[in-house]
């Protein structure tokens, strides 16, 4: 079905029916990955043009053809220098024969070039005058699954796991292969398949009972240039190793990991490494043994080093039992406080994975001050594609604009221009390893993502991390055209819907960067004080006088001090703090006038009324596409937007009422607030 194929629908294009070069494929070198490239080209070309390409051997160039080669096999030594490891070139010539060269630095580049070429055919761009060199700017382009072996997915909104069920592997090769195709088509090169919260069943993934199955999944991924990673249980030595400790400095513990790691590589020669959540939200970690996180991570790093494996150590470490009365223990400060002092102490194959913001994937947060603060330590950025706090794939929320803002943020770590994208592409500090990671939004539903328009987040994620400079509009255009075809009405309508959706969602939910105000645990829908009196460190401090968290150095939690001076100054003063984050950084009276000229309370009322009207418009826009989109996808999306409208009203009413009652201040426009 269309929804299953996502952006690899390869819709028929009549004008491409008779192109000589598409009839033959010349392969100069055979590897598993190049085989996948050929298979994809055959599938795509057949579907788009009706031509069934034939694979031929023709080194001399006697035929019009597509030519697949690596730099080595094609003797293009000058090209070698302009390509990085996953880079490639697309070139076409019309004389004497029509030849289209897809040349990769390695076979992975060839595969990426094949997908790029198919994208060109689908989006109607000129295939005859190709002269493109592409190098991914990001080295590790990762996807994290939060899949549990019982089949459930932590924060999953699109069904169950495609890997596991009933504590076993499903091994649905067809589905996993299609998944690998989708991921390779957007340049993903690493996937961790299980939840960062590793419970009993998943702890066993590194035992001889389950490793053969892990290896089967890894084999599929490998054909698409993707390395498999596992999230591991920090206390594995106790859980499955028969030891009484997980102390990272204990020789027996170290030896256990060394042996275990070697064993894993016997099953999976290109195993990527471990993803680790330690000392966080009740997970075990080195703190139990009075060791720090460098001790913990390095123990695993040492075991992986001989195999070129890496440790992806998460910085989502905070005290989830903190007392709300103590205002100096600010959860936002935790990652920086724990990790910054350890800069330079991590092994070369350890990478710290840092969430984009200091809290937890709220609709609006400042950028984590840890980016740029550790010149001697590899860093990876973590985004959340799955819409835990952004409407759980019932609401439309296109996250590319949010992610672009993060990537473009200037940390000032080495003066102006020290953007987050330069930190995580490794160029600012010359990291050995760096990259971007994200928690995926897929499950086993036929659409993969539940909300079909949420496929755009997955697609956009891959495209954006390949090249963080790609404009949002380019990414959206590509996605809409490949997903729905090239009708200008569809393109313009869907593009506009996506472009506005993040700010619409922000309008009717928690205001001005304060975050939370959601139902505890499942995190869907409004709950004004849901997290206010619990120990999670997630407060808004609303009372009858005002709202917001004072995180200033002057008289607040001191969080602002974690930024470099330029950003410290901007956030420290309520005058210069951007409106959208004012309640994240400051506690202000409801009558505080924003830079926009409106008071905080009036802003809350206005945006909540507007937000719902905007959703009404989203729904109308979609209805205007009736007849332009196949019925199944049309109805599915219609249904979600209808739910979104209902739920946005609930948000509006609860938030407005709450603040009206707290503040006692009337809406200037006298709209109905209960
Ligand atoms: C939070 C989720 C929780 C995750 C945690 C994490 O609510 O389910 O386990 O992040 O990232 O967003 O570890």
């Amino acid at each position: 079905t269309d929804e299953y194929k996502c952006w690899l629908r390869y819709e028929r294009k009549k004008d491409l029916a008779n192109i000589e070069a598409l009839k033959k494929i010349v392969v100069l070198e055979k590897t598993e990955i190049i085989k996948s490239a050929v298979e994809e080209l055959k599938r795509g070309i057949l579907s788009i043009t009706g031509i069934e390409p034939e694979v031929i051997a023709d080194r001399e160039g006697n035929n019009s053809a597509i030519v697949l080669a690596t730099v080595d096999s094609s003797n293009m030594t000058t090209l070698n220098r302009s390509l990085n490891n996953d880079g490639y070139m697309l070139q076409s010539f019309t004389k004497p024969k029509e030849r289209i060269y897809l040349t990769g630095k390695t076979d992975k580049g060839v595969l990426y070039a094949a997908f790029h070429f198919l994208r060109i055919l689908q989006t109607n761009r000129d295939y005859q005058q190709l002269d493109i060199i592409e190098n991914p700017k990001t080295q590790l382009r990762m996807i994290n699954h939060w899949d549990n072996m019982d089949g459930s997915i932590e924060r999953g909104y699109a069904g169950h796991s495609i890997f596991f069920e009933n504590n076993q592997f499903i091994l649905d090769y067809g589905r996993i292969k299609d998944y690998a195709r989708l991921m390779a088509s957007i340049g993903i090169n690493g996937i961790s398949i299980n939840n960062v919260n590793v419970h009993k069943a998943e702890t066993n993934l590194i035992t001889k009972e389950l490793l053969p199955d892990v290896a089967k999944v890894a084999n599929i991924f490998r054909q698409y240039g993707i390395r498999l990673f596992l999230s591991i249980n920090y206390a594995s030595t106790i859980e499955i190793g028969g030891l009484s400790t997980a102390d990272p400095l204990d020789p027996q513990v170290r030896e256990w990991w060394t042996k275990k790691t070697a064993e894993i590589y016997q099953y999976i020669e290109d195993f990527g490494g471990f993803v680790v959540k330690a000392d966080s939200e009740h997970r075990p970690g080195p703190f139990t043994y009075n060791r720090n996180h460098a001790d913990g991570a390095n123990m695993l790093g040492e075991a992986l080093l001989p195999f070129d494996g890496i440790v992806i150590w998460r910085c989502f470490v905070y005290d989830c039992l903190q007392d709300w009365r103590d205002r100096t223990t600010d959860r936002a400060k935790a990652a920086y406080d724990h990790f910054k002092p350890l800069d330079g102490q991590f092994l070369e194959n350890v990478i710290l994975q840092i969430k984009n913001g200091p809290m937890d994937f709220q609709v609006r947060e400042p950028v984590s001050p840890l980016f740029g603060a550790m010149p001697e330590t590899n860093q990876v950025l973590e985004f959340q594609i799955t819409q835990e706090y952004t409407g759980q794939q019932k609401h439309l929320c296109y996250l590319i604009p949010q992610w672009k803002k993060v990537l473009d943020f200037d940390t000032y770590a080495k003066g102006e221009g020290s953007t987050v994208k330069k930190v995580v592409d490794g160029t600012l500090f010359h990291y050995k390893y760096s990259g971007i990671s994200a928690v995926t939004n897929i499950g086993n539903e036929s659409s993969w993502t539940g909300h079909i328009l949420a496929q755009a987040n997955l697609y956009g994620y891959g495209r954006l991390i390949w090249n963080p400079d790609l404009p949002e509009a380019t990414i959206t255009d590509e996605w809409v055209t490949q997903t729905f075809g090239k009708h200008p009405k569809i393109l313009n309508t869907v593009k506009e819907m996506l472009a506005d959706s993040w700010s619409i969602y922000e309008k009717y939910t928690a205001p001005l960067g304060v975050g939370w105000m959601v139902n505890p645990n499942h995190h869907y829908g409004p709950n004004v004080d849901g997290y206010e009196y619990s120990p999670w460190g997630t407060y808004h401090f609303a009372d009858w006088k005002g709202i917001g968290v004072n995180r200033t150095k002057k008289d607040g939690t001191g969080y602002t001090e974690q930024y470099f001076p330029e950003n410290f100054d901007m956030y420290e003063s309520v005058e210069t703090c951007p409106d959208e984050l004012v309640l994240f950084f400051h506690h202000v009276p409801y009558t505080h006038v924003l830079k926009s000229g409106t008071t905080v309370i009036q802003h809350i009322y206005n945006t909540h009324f507007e937000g719902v009207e905007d959703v009404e418009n989203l729904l109308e826009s979609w209805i205007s596409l009736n007849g332009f989109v196949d019925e199944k996808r049309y109805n599915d999306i219609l249904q979600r937007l209808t739910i979104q409208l209902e739920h946005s009203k609930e948000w509006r009413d609860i938030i407005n009422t709450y603040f009206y009652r707290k503040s006692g201040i009337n809406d200037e426009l006298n709209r109905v607030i209960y």
Side-chain angles (χ1 to χ4, degrees):
T1 59
D2 282 328
E3 89 235 21
Y4 180 82
K5 291 181 187 158
C6 299
W7 53 88
L8 300 181
R9 278 168 61 250
Y10 300 135
E11 194 176 73
R12 181 62 58 95
K13 302 251 182 287
K14 292 205 184 68
D15 48 325
L16 296 180
N18 220 348
I19 295 164
E20 277 308 306
L22 301 186
K23 295 182 180 164
K24 299 197 165 67
I25 299 175
V26 175
V27 184
L28 296 186
E29 193 187 339
K30 286 196 179 105
T31 71
E32 270 197 323
I33 293 179
I34 290 185
K35 241 169 77 191
S36 301
V38 172
E39 195 184 294
E40 197 65 28
L41 283 169
K42 281 175 147 180
R43 175 203 296 258
I45 290 169
L46 175 61
S47 174
I48 297 168
T49 67
I51 298 168
E52 246 178 285
E54 177 195 355
V55 178
I56 59 160
D58 173 16
R59 205 166 245 289
E60 296 72 35
N62 298 328
N63 295 274
S64 288
I66 300 174
V67 185
L68 303 191
T70 61
V71 171
D72 290 340
S73 63
S74 68
N75 295 326
M76 291 203 223
T77 37
T78 44
L79 180 62
N80 202 359
R81 265 176 270 127
S82 32
L83 294 180
N84 70 22
N85 275 342
D86 290 349
Y88 59 84
M89 182 169 73
L90 301 179
Q91 263 184 323
S92 49
F93 301 94
T94 44
K95 280 184 197 127
K97 294 285 174 189
E98 218 174 36
R99 301 276 278 192
I100 297 165
Y101 289 90
L102 311 184
T103 315
K105 170 93 165 207
T106 64
D107 52 358
K108 262 165 84 182
V110 176
L111 178 65
Y112 295 144
F115 278 115
H116 190 155
F117 180 65
L118 289 166
R119 188 163 70 232
I120 289 173
L121 294 184
Q122 289 181 89
T123 48
N124 275 349
R125 272 174 275 154
D126 191 354
Y127 69 92
Q128 276 178 320
Q129 296 184 28
L130 297 175
D131 190 10
I132 299 173
I133 287 191
E134 269 286 330
N135 284 306
K137 294 214 169 121
T138 314
Q139 181 195 8
L140 287 166
R141 302 178 299 277
M142 296 261 315
I143 284 284
N144 292 170
H145 281 260
W146 284 359
D147 294 22
N148 300 313
M149 286 205 72
D150 64 3
S152 64
I153 300 178
E154 178 145 349
R155 314 307 177 186
Y157 311 106
H160 275 228
S161 172
I162 62 166
F163 302 115
F164 313 115
E165 203 172 69
N166 294 326
N167 294 327
Q168 284 172 347
F169 275 84
I170 303 173
L171 296 175
D172 176 346
Y173 293 106
R175 181 119 202 190
I176 297 172
K177 183 174 162 179
D178 283 336
Y179 179 52
R181 290 176 50 233
L182 285 166
M183 292 301 95
S185 76
I186 53 173
I188 298 299
N189 62 4
I191 298 183
S192 64
I193 60 171
N194 65 304
N195 191 358
V196 287
N197 297 318
V198 184
H199 301 290
K200 184 77 194 120
E202 299 82 26
T203 304
N204 291 334
L205 280 167
I206 53 173
T207 61
K208 66 175 187 317
E209 284 69 38
L210 289 172
L211 278 169
D213 286 345
V214 180
K216 287 177 193 156
V217 177
N219 291 343
I220 305 175
F221 283 174
R222 185 177 309 112
Q223 292 161 24
Y224 289 87
I226 298 165
R227 287 173 85 176
L228 182 143
F229 289 72
L230 289 174
S231 299
I232 53 109
N233 184 338
Y234 181 79
S236 294
T237 46
I238 302 172
E239 301 280 330
I240 55 172
L243 301 181
S244 58
T245 175
D247 180 349
L249 300 189
D250 183 302
Q252 275 185 302
V253 172
R254 301 175 84 87
E255 194 193 305
W256 188 87
W257 277 112
T258 305
K259 285 204 175 129
K260 181 47 79 181
T261 306
E263 185 190 343
I264 298 172
Y265 279 91
Q266 280 171 11
Y267 290 90
I268 308 159
E269 77 210 16
D270 62 344
F271 179 64
F274 302 135
V275 176
V276 194
K277 172 176 180 177
D279 287 317
S280 165
E281 299 180 333
H282 314 294
R283 305 315 303 152
F287 286 163
T288 311
Y289 309 95
N290 278 325
R291 311 295 185 197
N292 68 31
H293 280 226
D295 297 328
N298 290 345
M299 167 187 69
L300 298 171
E302 212 175 70
L304 286 158
L305 204 55
F307 306 97
D308 260 346
I310 59 180
V311 184
I312 299 183
W313 190 272
R314 298 177 79 235
C315 294
F316 187 61
V317 177
Y318 70 99
D319 177 6
C320 62
L321 298 171
Q322 53 193 269
D323 188 339
W324 65 272
R325 281 170 224 97
D326 178 0
R327 302 216 177 168
T328 56
T329 51
D330 178 359
R331 170 166 163 183
K333 289 163 71 177
Y336 185 101
D337 282 347
H338 283 303
F339 288 94
K340 160 84 184 164
L342 301 178
D343 189 26
Q345 297 182 31
F346 293 91
L347 274 186
E348 64 177 51
N349 64 336
V350 173
I351 307 174
L352 298 185
Q353 179 162 306
I354 308 163
K355 289 193 183 187
N356 60 271
M359 296 297 278
D360 194 7
F361 302 133
Q362 300 303 291
V363 66
R364 176 80 67 172
E365 281 187 45
V367 168
S368 168
L370 207 46
F371 292 110
M374 300 183 71
E376 308 290 329
T377 308
N378 303 317
Q379 294 192 335
V380 160
L381 163 66
E382 177 178 334
F383 286 128
Q384 194 183 43
I385 311 174
T386 192
Q387 291 172 243
E388 175 177 2
Y389 294 99
T390 50
Q392 306 198 349
Q393 278 126 269
K394 290 194 174 78
H395 298 235
L396 179 62
C397 190
Y398 188 45
L399 293 164
I400 306 306
Q402 188 199 59
W403 298 336
K404 274 199 90 75
K405 235 182 134 74
V406 173
L407 292 165
D408 291 340
F409 181 77
D410 199 342
T411 67
Y412 290 94
K414 276 172 89 177
E416 207 182 326
S418 307
T419 50
V420 170
K421 62 189 171 197
K422 286 195 188 155
V423 175
V424 298
D425 73 9
T427 55
L428 195 70
F429 298 120
H430 308 291
Y431 290 149
K432 179 163 163 83
Y433 292 103
S434 58
I436 304 180
S437 207
V439 187
T440 192
N441 61 352
I442 72 128
N444 69 356
E445 285 185 7
S446 62
S447 65
W448 300 89
T449 56
H451 203 313
I452 291 164
L453 296 179
Q455 291 175 358
N457 283 329
L458 187 56
Y459 179 83
Y461 167 71
R463 298 289 292 130
L464 182 64
I465 66 168
W466 177 278
N467 176 8
D469 293 323
L470 266 188
E472 176 198 327
T474 308
I475 296 174
T476 320
D477 278 7
E478 284 179 10
W479 179 76
V480 180
T481 313
Q482 293 172 97
T483 305
F484 290 112
K486 62 169 204 287
H487 197 295
K489 179 161 168 74
I490 305 181
L491 178 61
N492 295 332
T493 310
V494 176
K495 201 169 157 184
E496 211 170 292
M497 289 174 69
L498 290 173
D500 296 340
S501 58
W502 172 44
S503 74
I504 294 174
Y505 185 80
E506 181 175 25
K507 279 187 195 173
Y508 60 79
T509 55
L512 298 165
V514 81
W516 308 99
M517 304 189 104
V518 290
N519 283 302
N521 308 320
H522 61 74
H523 299 162
Y524 186 81
N527 187 333
V528 288
D529 284 335
Y531 274 111
E532 199 55 20
Y533 304 103
S534 70
W536 289 90
T538 46
Y539 315 115
H540 55 62
F541 296 110
D543 59 17
W544 64 282
K545 288 182 295 197
I547 179 181
V549 190
N550 183 350
R551 294 193 156 103
T552 61
K553 177 184 178 195
K554 194 172 132 252
D555 50 12
T557 69
Y559 166 76
T560 51
E561 270 191 288
Q562 296 184 343
Y563 289 94
F564 287 92
E566 290 82 351
N567 290 326
F568 165 76
D569 287 343
M570 168 171 70
Y571 292 136
E572 176 75 7
S573 153
V574 72
E575 303 305 319
T576 49
C577 181
D579 279 354
E580 71 261 18
L581 284 169
V582 77
L583 301 183
F584 188 93
F585 285 102
H586 298 275
H587 185 85
V588 297
Y590 293 108
T591 50
H592 171 76
V593 181
L594 295 166
K595 284 198 264 310
S596 66
T598 354
T599 59
V600 165
I601 189 71
Q602 195 55 41
H603 172 92
I604 293 175
Y605 296 149
N606 290 350
T607 49
H608 285 77
F609 283 111
E610 261 168 46
V612 172
E613 285 162 25
D614 291 348
V615 179
E616 279 163 358
N617 292 332
L618 285 177
L619 187 59
E620 262 175 47
S621 300
W622 185 252
I623 290 172
S624 79
L625 294 181
N626 194 359
F628 289 84
V629 177
D630 56 286
E631 220 170 301
K632 175 125 197 328
R633 288 190 295 171
Y634 174 80
N635 285 329
D636 204 290
I637 293 168
L638 181 69
Q639 204 194 347
R640 308 246 172 192
L641 289 166
T642 311
I643 294 172
Q644 182 178 2
L645 180 57
E646 272 329 290
H647 293 180
S648 66
K649 288 178 185 163
E650 188 191 349
W651 270 102
R652 173 195 65 191
D653 293 342
I654 289 177
I655 299 282
N656 278 347
T657 304
Y658 177 75
F659 285 110
Y660 173 64
R661 292 198 190 154
K662 283 261 156 171
S663 70
I665 300 173
N666 283 323
D667 171 28
E668 281 167 6
L669 300 174
N670 288 315
R671 286 162 292 198
V672 181
I673 298 172
Y674 294 99

